Amino acid sequence: MPWAVFTISLILSIVFEVVVGNYGGLVPCLAICAFYFTMRYGAMRTLAGVVVAAAFLDACWMHRFPSQVLMILTVTGLSNAWKPYGDVNSGLSLLLSGGCIGIVSWLFFLLGLLIAGNLEKSFYLIIQLLVYQVVICIFLTPAVAFALNRLLRRSVTWLSAPDEDNE
């Protein structure tokens, strides 16, 4: 696994999620990265890195309930179960997976609000947030997957190629 690409992707997704969150948006970029790398390399190789990143994101937002960590564990488990049937090169598979990621992130966001005691929103706003999450994830999942596929296939030497001894 190209660990540099994995690490840089997780860092960029955390930064993007925090910046968008500071403006009031909710974009589960870390969950999308967890989905992609789990589909590509398996859950055992990616689980530790994405859980640490999710814990860091929970710490950034000072959550009382580790909703990001539980969301990442759920997305990683579902991605690992979907791995034999899905394909990170297929647009339809990525759209379906993006919709599922949106629903899972919405559910854990609501669970975090419920446990923290901040669920003061109306039913209309909660459904509006669901639609927003699903639409954002449907568009963002294929974009991230195709960008990472292109990056990993081009074999950028300083990011993804293993070190070779010059003999």
Side-chain angles (χ1 to χ4, degrees), residues 82-105:
W82 178 248
K83 188 176 179 179
Y85 309 108
D87 183 19
V88 291
N89 296 321
S90 167
L92 183 60
S93 174
L94 291 172
L95 291 175
L96 179 64
S97 301
C100 292
I101 291 170
I103 292 170
V104 167
S105 67

Side-chain angles (χ1 to χ4, degrees), residues 16-17 20-29 61 63 68 71 102 105-110 113 121 129-130 132-134 136-137 140:
F16 184 74
E17 215 168 309
V20 170
N22 284 337
Y23 288 103
L26 184 63
V27 179
C29 289
W61 292 116
H63 288 160
Q68 291 290 324
M71 177 182 64
S105 67
W106 174 76
L107 285 173
F108 279 101
F109 177 72
L110 284 182
L113 285 178
K121 300 180 186 232
L129 181 64
L130 171 65
Y132 169 77
Q133 282 290 100
V134 170
I136 287 292
C137 287
L140 199 58

Side-chain angles (χ1 to χ4, degrees), residues 32-51:
I32 292 171
C33 282
F35 161 75
Y36 175 79
F37 285 108
T38 301
M39 288 292 289
R40 181 117 183 184
Y41 299 110
M44 297 310 292
R45 295 180 80 184
T46 61
L47 189 62
V50 294
V51 167

Side-chain angles (χ1 to χ4, degrees), residues 10-162:
L10 291 181
I11 291 170
L12 288 177
S13 66
I14 289 171
V15 168
F16 184 74
E17 215 168 309
V18 168
V19 168
V20 170
N22 284 337
Y23 288 103
L26 184 63
V27 179
C29 289
L30 189 60
I32 292 171
C33 282
F35 161 75
Y36 175 79
F37 285 108
T38 301
M39 288 292 289
R40 181 117 183 184
Y41 299 110
M44 297 310 292
R45 295 180 80 184
T46 61
L47 189 62
V50 294
V51 167
V52 168
F56 183 73
L57 194 57
D58 272 333
C60 283
W61 292 116
M62 292 187 279
H63 288 160
R64 295 179 187 164
F65 177 72
S67 60
Q68 291 290 324
V69 173
L70 293 176
M71 177 182 64
I72 291 300
L73 288 173
T74 304
V75 166
T76 303
L78 291 174
S79 300
N80 200 35
W82 178 248
K83 188 176 179 179
Y85 309 108
D87 183 19
V88 291
N89 296 321
S90 167
L92 183 60
S93 174
L94 291 172
L95 291 175
L96 179 64
S97 301
C100 292
I101 291 170
I103 292 170
V104 167
S105 67
W106 174 76
L107 285 173
F108 279 101
F109 177 72
L110 284 182
L111 183 63
L113 285 178
L114 184 65
I115 288 177
N118 282 342
L119 195 59
E120 303 167 351
K121 300 180 186 232
S122 69
F123 182 72
Y124 175 74
L125 289 175
I126 291 173
I127 297 301
Q128 186 180 13
L129 181 64
L130 171 65
V131 171
Y132 169 77
Q133 282 290 100
V134 170
V135 168
I136 287 292
C137 287
I138 283 176
F139 286 116
L140 199 58
T141 301
V144 168
F146 289 142
L148 286 172
N149 271 343
R150 183 173 173 107
L151 179 68
L152 290 170
R153 285 204 178 130
R154 288 185 78 162
S155 185
V156 180
T157 57
W158 60 277
L159 286 177
S160 61

